[in-house]
Amino acid sequence: MSYAELQFILAEAAHKGYIGGGDAAAETFYLEGIAASYNQNHDYFATVLEDVWGATFESQLGWDGSQDIVEFALENYVANGAHTYDKSNYIPVTYDPANAMEQIAYERWVAGFDQGLQSWFEWRRTGVPTLTPAEDGVISSIPVRSTYPSDEYSRNKTNLDAAIANQGADELTTPVWWDVEPTK
């Protein structure tokens, strides 16, 4: 678990009242999680930001090169907001108790970009962000579960057949029993 992930877990817990501090603590954890997300990949971000975005940061955002570019990008991000993955829905970064769960879930999803399964688990748990299946993907929707391992068919066929009879086909797109919302 990364420090960023821990901060987002604490932000959610404080917002929901599972730990003390309420939304004031949730905001602190949330902002610390965003900073940790940037900083856990500082060296990579610094290289990419300078190579790809340096000129834009200078000409459009006023970066003069004296401040660490990752720090500058973080400050700009927190001050000016963000778009969701599909850029159709603006999500302000400034903590808002009324939208806190969406904000926390989105930032936690982003922070897990290098941990694909963890981001997928968070998306499955929260439905945030709204994702769009790949245009030319092998399947036409985003997977919502894992399939059973192949050795399950030979080692535990009776129980496997019973599970499939109860839940539906052993496919990546078959909802699991705890799905309560339509797949996003």
Side-chain angles (χ1 to χ4, degrees), residues 84-104:
T84 61
Y85 182 74
D86 64 6
K87 299 187 185 224
S88 66
N89 184 19
Y90 177 76
I91 297 177
V93 175
T94 304
Y95 185 83
D96 174 14
N99 296 306
M101 281 312 305
E102 181 180 9
Q103 291 177 306
I104 294 165

Side-chain angles (χ1 to χ4, degrees), residues 8 11-12 30 91 99-112 118-119 122-123 125-129:
F8 294 125
E12 183 175 339
Y30 166 76
I91 297 177
N99 296 306
M101 281 312 305
E102 181 180 9
Q103 291 177 306
I104 294 165
Y106 177 74
E107 293 297 342
R108 186 171 175 187
W109 179 80
V110 169
Q118 188 60 42
S119 287
E122 284 305 308
W123 170 75
R125 183 177 75 87
T126 65
V128 174

